[in-house]
Amino acid sequence: DIQMTQSPSTLSASVGDRVTISCRASQSISTWLAWYQQKPGKPPKLLIYRASTLENGVPSRFSGSGSETEFTLTINSLQPDDFATYYCQQYNTDFTWTFGQGTKVEI
Amino acid sequence: QVQLVESGGGVVQPGRSLRLSCAASGFTFSSHGMHWVRQAPGKGLEWLAVIARDASLEYYAASVKGRFTISRDNSKNTLFLQMDSLRAEDTAVYYCAKEVRDYYPLDYWGQGTLVTVSS
């Protein structure tokens, strides 16, 4: 099975900062990568799919990049509502939809 | 609007079974693959299983393969997860979620139902 590894596990930032989260796949997944945001007690929210395509309604300060095994989620000008945990997920490769372990963005 | 409502969670003893349901509305249920994902207390997301829109295909995570069975009833817009031989490590919030389209990520999620496996 494909393994997904995110870094860092926790990230401390301030409002207005530019934040970068990395996700590495154990083998090539082309651009079959999604990013989700989750807040405590809530289900995840899809932010980005196909590595860089923004889901409808997601603010443009979120962006994704990468291919094959290395991917990045960038949040420009961090807002108070962005403090949450972020997960990457691979899909459409080996009939599993594996998540990374998550990155918590805290103040 | 799209709604997914899980039910069936609760406290169950190790080794016993439990069946979760997910009632879907607000979209054409039979046109989308559906998934189960769980989250243990204080932990990350773990994908469990997917079923194709016509129930022709099912895939499972290695951690639950052979113990859990995903199914659906398109006439009732309902997704199921049959969980057998439950273990303490199966304690988690269980979410159902809808695919954007075939083999794509998950764009709508339920609020989850808590399963606690304890004697």
Side-chain angles (χ1 to χ4, degrees), chain B residues 36-104:
Chain B
W36 288 99
V37 175
R38 70 182 178 186
Q39 187 167 36
K43 303 297 184 182
L45 301 169
E46 180 184 14
W47 175 81
L48 298 179
V50 59
I51 186 167
R53 45 195 160 112
D54 61 357
S56 60
L57 295 170
E58 304 162 24
Y59 296 102
Y60 297 89
S63 59
V64 302
K65 192 171 185 178
R67 295 191 303 126
F68 289 11
T69 303
I70 189 172
S71 62
R72 64 192 297 162
D73 185 341
N74 284 348
S75 69
K76 296 182 178 178
N77 291 348
T78 305
L79 176 73
F80 302 100
L81 185 67
Q82 176 68 38
M83 304 186 294
D84 298 325
S85 303
L86 283 163
R87 309 163 179 166
E89 54 265 36
D90 295 319
T91 294
V93 173
Y94 285 72
Y95 295 102
C96 65
K98 162 192 167 293
E99 279 181 354
V100 174
R101 59 178 192 253
D102 288 353
Y103 306 114
Y104 259 55

Side-chain angles (χ1 to χ4, degrees), chain A residues 80-94:
Chain A
D81 190 50
D82 301 336
F83 290 96
T85 300
Y86 294 84
Y87 294 91
C88 63
Q89 180 197 41
Q90 65 86 17
Y91 61 96
N92 199 28
T93 48
D94 63 350

Side-chain angles (χ1 to χ4, degrees), chain A residues 19-31:
Chain A
V19 164
T20 299
I21 299 169
S22 297
C23 178
R24 175 175 292 178
S26 60
Q27 63 189 70
S28 175
I29 58 170
S30 183
T31 56

